[in-house]
Amino acid sequence: MAEVHTQPAEQSSAPQSSSEEILSIQQRRWRKFRSLKRGYYSLLVLLAAYIVSFFLPLLVNNRALVVHFNGKTYFPAVRDLLDLPIVGQLGGTPFIAGEELGQMGNKSECNYRALKRQYEQEGKGNYVIMPPYPFGPIEDISVEGNEPFMPPLSRTAFGELRLFGTDDRGRDVFARMAYGFQISFSFALLVATLSYLIGVPLGALMGYFGRWFDLLMQRFMEIWGSLPFLFLIIIVVSIVRPSFFVLVLLLVIFSWLGIAQQMRAQFYREKTRDYTAAAISIGVPTWRILLRHILPNSLVPIITFFPFAVVGDIGSLVSLDFLGFGLAPPTPSWGEMVSIGMDNLTNGYWWLVLVPLGALFVTLMLVVFIGEAVREAFDPKTFSRLR
Amino acid sequence: MVEYFIRRLLLTIPTFLGSTFVVFLIVQLAPGGPLEQQIQALKRGGETAGAGLVGEQALPKDAIEELKRFYGFDKPIWQRYLIWLGVWKREAKSYRIKPGVPRLVGDNERLILVKEGESFVLRNAADPSRPIGDWKWRQERDEETGEVRYRVYREAYSGILTGDFGRSYRFRKPVIELIAERLPVSIQFGIISFVLSYAISVYLGVQKALRHNTPFDFATSSAVFMTYSIPGWAIGAVLLVLFATDRFFPIFPLGGFEDPLYTDFSLLEKIWDRAWHFVLPTIAYTAGSFALLTMLMKNSLIETLSQDYIRTAFAKGIREERVIWLHAMRNSIIPITANIGYVIGIFFAGSYLIERVFDIQGIGQLSFEALVARDYPIVFAFTVISVVVTLIGSILSDLALALVDPRIRFK
């Protein structure tokens, strides 16, 4: 759906001379969008941040990028690349035990920061290259050197910087915030896209065919819409602890309604237009009328709504996580971070609340700015005040 | 018009039944349903009574059967649903009885099962000639021992339609009472934030429309978008950290609804204390709702201002304030009345997220805790209330729309 405005329209018209340039509607929208600086730069920033976030395991991780030990080279962090939710959860990442790399007596996962110090002391030519920010989102107080409630910009006993401090279990707040962005944004994009994939065709069919199908679906949607959805999600979540994708589906089940309603109204309106009647009378097949003729004319309201759907879905996830009914721990999530902060409110650990919520605010603002610009580009309204 | 609204009202009935049935189904079929919950509660109760010596003792089979009968688990689910609604008779009271032995059933009434020919007859124990009311008896057979037992029982219609929402498992109180206790808190927040959000959004919307594309417009737009996109409880949490914790500006209380010593305060202190506790939560409540209204107001006024009749009004030399507030506002206010029906929602406005952040013991907390503890009578009550509020709210909105805009005719 969202491609419509990014679709370059080269095929429709070759670039013309500058003054009388003939632009397709998509080109005009894209130009308008680019001229709206706030939205355009928000898009660039967000896009860049999201792309970078796929490489988080190489940037923010407690596993080393490269370990060279006794002539053998290991790449522990690389495996984590496949562990991000949208890429696919391949189960627990098999770890390399500390003993294997020369950490004596450590049968559990290797502590790479300690390993680095160890190799440097030994000076045997073994080396460890850590990611730029050498803390992971999940490692907690059980790892040597991690302490709970370290304030922002403090340093560990070994001199490593904790940008945003640590939480109640000694987990790094910056790392959790960064991974939380990846997860929240992937989650919202997935939920929004899937609910469009369900809502658009259903709404279109309801609007176009009408009759009993419409009537039945309308009653169904009315019932579905009057259900207290957060309530139901919590009931379901308290029975089965959902994985990332189950939670996505749970939200999709409730969020396609609004989109279907919108589409239904659009198709209902477009159906009565002359061009549809013309298409029917010259015998254009129904699927073609739906896809090629009516659909492009009905997409504007729901395309402009897409960013706001993403905003809503991020908000839902954070709220659910905050209540403890979202993603299973220890998944790094903003909502869960805030709830830890709220539990420790009186102790003055302000960063536990402000850091994740700051990240939330910035992300949502960027998306809303994009949404505003998209709306402006698709549906420009010029007001003339007569005085 | 009237027909339309009557039809709308009638259409809410199938919707109400449909959505309550869905919730009922989900809750009943989910593991850890009401029956299991109650059994668990009884077990826990037994343990503490038995000083924990017995440990995980199995509940007597009788007791479990008793519970099953009480919740109607010996019946199919549609029947249970009807019982819950209150349109199917429920076994309200039932007692074991031995033939020939008088049994006390409620208010000093004793019944006796007398053998009469092949069968039994139920009689009043004190005076066989007196009527026994609607008490009935039946025979049942223990599945394991094969022993024959007798039982007297009375049936009654009792469900949500008769106003019986049941009793909370945890508080051992009627649900209605619990809700009534928590209601005042939520209503106060509901009303204040409702009035505030409409007042702010109308004023701000008008100002933004009049100063369209000025720095003021851009600056307030950012604020409006921010509050639109960010959940109210998150704003509340930030405010709490900034303005209530010792770390920054400890101006407001950390949460709660009133001071612990509230009851000892004088009236003035009470008002002051209440207002003090109200500031931050009210901002959180209001922030969520005023953004959308503001933008609606602004866009609608801007559109009206570009119409011909406004130009005519200006051309006649009417003062600007008069044109805007008297001529333009009448038409511009229409879109924002479209939401006003949900005003009935303010009585149950308790958002459990905000209440949790501010630790307010309101209606939201009650429903959320009930959900977590699987206190189903409360959960059901809230489902019913929220479904009814949504349905009625949308009808009221249409009604309000029809009232302010005579051009709108619903058919």
Side-chain angles (χ1 to χ4, degrees):
Chain A
M1 250 59 59
E3 293 98 274
V4 174
H5 71 278
T6 50
Q7 215 172 52
E10 280 103 356
Q11 73 270 37
S12 59
S13 63
Q16 310 265 317
S17 64
S18 61
S19 62
E20 280 174 44
E21 205 174 359
I22 297 169
L23 292 170
S24 78
I25 181 134
Q26 307 305 356
Q27 277 172 315
R28 256 183 291 148
R29 284 170 177 167
W30 178 238
R31 291 214 171 171
K32 175 80 187 165
F33 180 77
R34 280 185 56 172
S35 76
L36 300 165
K37 290 281 176 281
R38 191 169 70 176
Y40 181 58
Y41 288 121
S42 297
L43 178 71
L44 293 186
V45 169
L46 201 62
L47 213 61
Y50 189 52
I51 291 171
V52 168
S53 78
F54 279 97
F55 299 95
L56 270 179
L58 302 183
L59 301 170
V60 178
N61 204 342
N62 55 331
R63 299 199 171 97
L65 293 175
V66 185
V67 176
H68 187 82
F69 178 63
N70 290 350
K72 263 177 145 179
T73 313
Y74 303 83
F75 304 95
V78 177
R79 292 202 268 213
D80 290 348
L81 280 177
L82 298 176
D83 214 29
L84 294 171
I86 210 162
V87 180
Q89 283 162 320
L90 302 175
T93 320
F95 61 80
I96 306 172
E99 275 187 332
E100 237 174 283
L101 297 174
Q103 246 175 4
M104 297 314 289
N106 184 5
K107 286 200 170 58
S108 53
E109 168 147 37
C110 180
N111 178 350
Y112 293 100
R113 292 189 299 273
L115 191 70
K116 183 175 175 148
R117 288 189 295 273
Q118 185 188 333
Y119 285 176
E120 276 163 8
Q121 263 178 7
E122 290 171 353
K124 289 186 202 154
N126 297 328
Y127 60 87
V128 173
I129 301 176
M130 288 302 286
Y133 193 79
F135 296 99
I138 292 172
E139 55 159 342
D140 57 16
I141 200 162
S142 61
V143 175
E144 184 201 0
N146 289 350
E147 276 172 52
F149 301 124
M150 287 174 70
L153 297 177
S154 59
R155 285 178 182 278
T156 61
F158 306 109
E160 295 132 340
L161 180 75
R162 293 283 198 177
L163 197 53
F164 290 144
T166 58
D167 69 5
D168 62 337
R169 270 161 263 177
R171 297 176 296 193
D172 190 88
V173 173
F174 174 73
R176 288 181 76 71
M177 184 208 80
Y179 280 86
F181 169 75
Q182 220 290 324
I183 286 165
S184 306
F185 206 67
S186 304
F187 180 87
L189 279 182
L190 259 182
V191 171
T193 311
L194 285 180
S195 44
Y196 268 58
L197 284 182
I198 296 173
V200 168
L202 264 180
L205 294 180
M206 280 169 72
Y208 190 77
F209 292 111
R211 294 168 190 261
W212 62 268
F213 178 67
D214 184 38
L215 210 75
L216 223 70
M217 284 300 290
Q218 278 244 298
R219 291 285 86 72
F220 173 73
M221 282 165 65
E222 210 173 275
I223 292 173
W224 209 238
S226 68
L227 291 177
F229 102 100
L230 213 59
F231 244 53
L232 285 184
I233 286 186
I234 289 175
I235 292 180
V236 175
V237 171
S238 61
I239 297 163
V240 280
R241 195 78 226 190
S243 67
F244 180 83
F245 287 103
V246 173
L247 204 63
V248 166
L249 286 183
L250 272 177
L251 249 79
V252 169
I253 288 175
F254 287 98
S255 61
W256 61 271
L257 282 181
I259 293 138
Q261 292 281 22
Q262 270 277 6
M263 269 328 256
R264 176 182 170 273
Q266 286 289 326
F267 267 67
Y268 197 73
R269 197 174 311 140
E270 297 295 321
K271 182 173 82 168
T272 59
R273 293 281 173 85
D274 287 345
Y275 74 88
T276 314
I280 294 171
S281 63
I282 58 169
V284 181
T286 307
W287 64 266
R288 217 180 141 82
I289 297 179
L290 285 173
L291 284 180
R292 294 293 299 273
H293 296 274
I294 301 185
L295 188 66
N297 282 315
S298 318
L299 281 177
V300 168
I302 64 155
I303 287 175
T304 53
F305 181 69
F306 190 83
F308 298 98
V310 170
V311 166
D313 294 331
I314 293 179
S316 302
L317 177 69
V318 174
S319 303
L320 280 172
D321 281 339
F322 174 66
L323 290 174
F325 288 97
L327 298 165
T331 316
S333 79
W334 292 341
E336 191 235 349
M337 293 168 76
V338 178
S339 90
I340 293 172
M342 292 309 285
D343 290 343
N344 295 291
L345 194 64
T346 44
N347 302 332
Y349 306 136
W350 54 272
W351 61 93
L352 295 183
V353 174
L354 293 194
V355 168
L357 284 184
L360 174 73
F361 286 8
V362 171
T363 309
L364 291 185
M365 281 301 278
L366 291 177
V367 183
V368 168
F369 286 154
I370 296 171
E372 259 310 289
V374 169
R375 198 197 54 70
E376 181 78 35
F378 271 75
D379 186 19
K381 278 191 181 127
T382 45
F383 297 106
S384 56
R385 238 195 102 189
L386 306 155
R387 190 171 149 193
Chain B
M1 270 292 257
V2 177
E3 273 166 51
Y4 170 81
F5 283 106
I6 292 175
R7 209 168 58 230
R8 276 291 298 271
L9 268 175
L10 289 179
L11 270 176
T12 57
I13 296 171
T15 313
F16 172 79
L17 294 178
S19 53
T20 47
F21 185 65
V22 171
V23 176
F24 191 82
L25 205 68
I26 292 174
V27 169
Q28 296 271 320
L29 294 183
L35 182 66
E36 282 94 328
Q37 283 300 311
Q38 188 73 349
I39 291 175
Q40 281 299 322
L42 281 179
K43 269 189 192 165
R44 275 196 302 273
E47 274 166 47
T48 44
L53 289 173
V54 218
E56 186 78 357
Q57 193 191 38
L59 219 60
K61 245 189 100 216
D62 273 6
I64 293 182
E65 261 171 39
E66 192 78 30
L67 277 174
K68 270 194 181 166
R69 198 168 309 110
F70 182 77
Y71 287 102
F73 272 85
D74 43 355
K75 300 186 182 69
I77 190 149
W78 59 269
Q79 233 175 53
R80 267 184 269 159
Y81 175 65
L82 293 180
I83 289 174
W84 174 74
L85 275 181
V87 296
W88 194 280
K89 275 191 174 170
R90 171 204 301 274
E91 208 168 271
K93 291 232 167 75
S94 92
Y95 301 99
R96 287 271 282 281
I97 194 166
K98 280 192 186 127
V101 182
R103 179 78 164 92
L104 185 72
V105 287
D107 298 333
N108 239 345
E109 204 182 359
R110 280 167 200 281
L111 294 178
I112 189 164
L113 207 54
V114 190
K115 185 135 190 168
E116 208 164 80
E118 283 298 290
S119 181
F120 290 94
V121 175
L122 203 56
R123 286 272 158 74
N124 194 310
D127 177 3
S129 61
R130 267 183 30 208
I132 53 164
D134 46 5
W135 288 99
K136 292 175 187 155
W137 69 277
R138 69 157 180 269
Q139 196 182 23
E140 46 187 37
R141 189 182 292 274
D142 192 295
E143 274 166 32
E144 277 172 23
T145 58
E147 177 196 358
V148 175
R149 290 183 308 205
Y150 299 91
R151 185 173 277 280
V152 287
Y153 63 98
R154 185 158 74 175
E155 286 177 327
Y157 294 104
S158 170
I160 51 165
L161 293 181
T162 65
D164 176 14
F165 284 85
R167 294 168 81 85
S168 153
Y169 301 160
R170 287 182 310 151
F171 299 98
R172 315 233 161 231
K173 261 190 193 175
V175 172
I176 299 278
E177 252 175 55
L178 283 170
I179 292 180
E181 270 169 28
R182 304 285 190 100
L183 211 52
V185 187
S186 297
I187 289 183
Q188 285 174 39
F189 280 115
I191 291 175
I192 293 178
S193 65
F194 176 81
V195 171
L196 265 183
S197 61
Y198 267 82
I200 295 176
S201 58
V202 169
Y203 181 76
L204 192 63
V206 170
Q207 290 305 319
K208 281 170 70 68
L210 296 182
R211 303 195 216 163
H212 183 55
N213 277 346
T214 59
F216 169 80
D217 187 29
F218 289 123
T220 50
S221 278
S222 302
V224 166
F225 289 145
M226 203 150 107
T227 53
Y228 167 79
S229 57
I230 295 156
W233 66 265
I235 295 177
V238 171
L239 290 175
L240 210 51
V241 172
L242 291 182
F243 298 110
T245 58
D246 299 335
R247 187 66 175 73
F248 297 98
F249 313 99
I251 305 170
F252 294 105
L254 258 175
F257 181 56
E258 52 198 23
D259 198 272
L261 303 172
Y262 184 76
T263 41
D264 300 338
F265 284 0
S266 67
L267 182 67
L268 213 65
E269 280 177 318
K270 273 186 182 173
I271 295 173
W272 180 247
D273 178 69
R274 189 57 66 88
W276 216 224
H277 281 84
F278 260 50
V279 174
L280 294 183
T282 306
I283 295 175
Y285 269 115
T286 312
S289 55
F290 93 102
L292 205 65
L293 288 172
T294 306
M295 292 320 279
L296 265 178
M297 183 70 231
K298 179 197 168 186
N299 290 337
S300 137
L301 183 60
I302 270 190
E303 214 149 299
T304 315
L305 284 178
S306 64
Q307 300 217 337
D308 285 344
Y309 80 98
I310 298 294
R311 173 167 41 185
T312 311
F314 276 125
K316 285 202 299 186
I318 301 174
R319 272 183 304 116
E320 186 173 15
E321 289 87 65
R322 204 177 152 79
V323 174
I324 287 160
W325 289 101
L326 226 69
H327 296 241
M329 274 305 270
R330 282 195 175 183
N331 278 326
S332 314
I333 206 90
I334 292 168
I336 76 165
T337 47
N339 284 322
I340 214 158
Y342 294 101
V343 64
I344 70 159
I346 64 175
F347 296 112
F348 299 96
S351 144
Y352 38 77
L353 287 155
I354 294 181
E355 284 183 6
R356 199 189 136 173
V357 167
F358 289 101
D359 194 24
I360 298 164
Q361 293 298 316
I363 231 168
Q365 285 263 33
L366 180 68
S367 62
F368 179 68
E369 281 163 9
L371 203 54
V372 174
R374 306 276 187 89
D375 197 342
Y376 285 109
I378 300 183
V379 174
F380 278 139
F382 274 99
T383 312
V384 170
I385 290 169
S386 79
V387 168
V388 169
V389 164
T390 326
L391 291 176
I392 303 287
S394 83
I395 295 180
L396 281 183
S397 292
D398 282 356
L399 204 61
L401 211 56
L403 285 180
V404 293
D405 190 350
R407 290 169 303 183
I408 292 176
R409 287 275 168 268
F410 290 104
K411 272 189 201 129

